[in-house]
Amino acid sequence: MCMVIFAPLFAIFAFATCGGYSGGLRLSVDCVNKTESNLSIDVAFAYPFRLHQVTFEVPTCEGKGQQKLALIGDSSSSAEFFVTVAVFAFLYSLAATVVYIFFQNKYRENNRGPLIDFVVTVVFSFLWLVGSSAWAKGLSDVKVATDPKEVLLLMSACKQPANKCMAVHSPVMSSLNTSVVFGFLNFILWAGNIWFVFKETGWHSSGQRYLSDPMEKHSSSYNQDSYGSGGGYSQQGSVGPSSEEFGQPASGPTSFTNQI
């Protein structure tokens, strides 16, 4: 039941916080020649984070016009893989919810439904782990590439001490951090559900029968051995030397001659 409720929600939060992201940073370059200064240089970027395609213009402070620069890095592969896993996990969760509620009999027919569900759950658990780990590394690269201090190092004007370069504001990454957290929460949720799905399969029931049969045979053989040993003991207890073997006369009535 927890899987049915939380899996679609966690998947939505994962791909929405990553796939819907757009952010930016603002820089300022104050040249010695104030006419060339630019105090509001905006650098915007968004999903899928092909940063090498994000270009912006900055002053050179040398009277040569503007310098065109681009950010460094490309985290599109990890971001797109993460969002793709989240979308397909969301769709499968919705389909599984409908089957659980409205087609329970068809789901258990011939044990095919639980087996398919088990295999898909294992696959999605693995994909969530790989996707979340890859996106966590990709997000780390995005943070480094969009750090205002790193971007200022790309500008030739900022290498001259007479010019003043500074960051006006940095990009906000809170939603991207949230996407990584929900990615690993999805992995924990799907991996934890493996056992519950496995219990619905025929593999689990056959394993229980395999374990119970030897125990029943062992119990029955133990009872037979106990009964046989008890009977033998009683028979041996009844067999023993009589009083005559020890030279004692058998008890009985005294003869008439002896009485006289």
Side-chain angles (χ1 to χ4, degrees):
M1 183 59 68
C2 292
M3 178 68 178
V4 172
I5 296 174
F6 292 110
L9 293 178
F10 282 14
I12 289 175
F13 285 127
F15 72 73
T17 52
C18 178
Y21 178 84
S22 61
L25 63 151
R26 179 173 294 177
L27 309 171
S28 95
V29 178
D30 189 8
C31 303
V32 176
N33 184 2
K34 301 300 182 181
T35 58
E36 297 185 74
S37 299
N38 189 345
L39 304 181
S40 180
I41 304 173
D42 292 320
V43 182
F45 59 94
Y47 173 85
F49 308 103
R50 293 186 177 93
L51 301 181
H52 64 286
Q53 297 180 358
V54 177
T55 59
F56 54 98
E57 292 184 349
V58 298
T60 60
C61 297
E62 297 177 352
K64 298 180 181 179
Q66 300 288 320
Q67 178 185 13
K68 190 174 183 179
L69 298 175
L71 296 178
I72 299 175
D74 183 6
S75 300
S76 60
S77 59
S78 59
E80 290 175 341
F81 179 76
F82 179 80
V83 171
T84 301
V85 172
V87 170
F88 279 102
F90 170 73
L91 295 176
Y92 178 78
S93 300
L94 288 183
T97 302
V98 173
V99 172
Y100 291 159
I101 296 176
F102 299 104
F103 302 98
Q104 189 65 231
N105 295 331
K106 292 291 184 180
Y107 172 77
R108 298 182 181 277
E109 185 177 354
N110 297 328
N111 199 36
R112 184 177 301 175
L115 290 178
I116 296 175
D117 196 15
F118 173 74
V119 173
V120 174
T121 302
V122 172
V123 171
F124 268 114
S125 300
F126 175 75
L127 292 178
W128 273 118
L129 177 61
V130 174
S132 300
S133 301
W135 170 229
K137 177 60 171 63
L139 177 58
S140 177
D141 295 338
V142 170
K143 289 180 178 180
V144 172
T146 58
D147 186 356
K149 295 180 180 180
E150 296 293 329
V151 178
L152 290 174
L153 295 177
L154 301 175
M155 303 179 187
S156 60
C158 298
K159 297 177 182 179
Q160 302 174 10
N163 302 320
K164 297 180 180 179
C165 301
M166 60 181 299
V168 178
H169 70 75
S170 302
V172 179
M173 300 286 189
S174 57
S175 62
L176 295 181
N177 294 331
T178 303
S179 68
V180 174
V181 172
F182 273 104
F184 285 105
L185 286 177
N186 274 285
F187 163 68
I188 294 173
L189 180 65
W190 285 80
N193 192 54
I194 291 176
W195 167 247
F196 298 100
V197 178
F198 177 72
K199 289 172 63 177
E200 300 292 331
T201 63
W203 297 336
H204 180 262
S205 57
S206 62
Q208 284 185 330
R209 288 196 300 268
Y210 177 77
L211 291 175
S212 61
D213 289 344
M215 293 179 64
E216 291 177 357
K217 292 180 180 179
H218 178 72
S219 177
S220 61
S221 62
Y222 177 78
N223 293 333
Q224 291 176 0
D225 293 342
S226 300
Y227 176 78
S229 61
Y233 177 80
S234 60
Q235 291 175 1
Q236 291 176 1
S238 62
V239 177
S242 63
S243 59
E244 295 178 353
E245 294 179 358
F246 289 94
Q248 296 180 358
S251 60
T254 309
S255 63
F256 179 75
T257 307
N258 293 334
Q259 291 179 359
I260 297 176

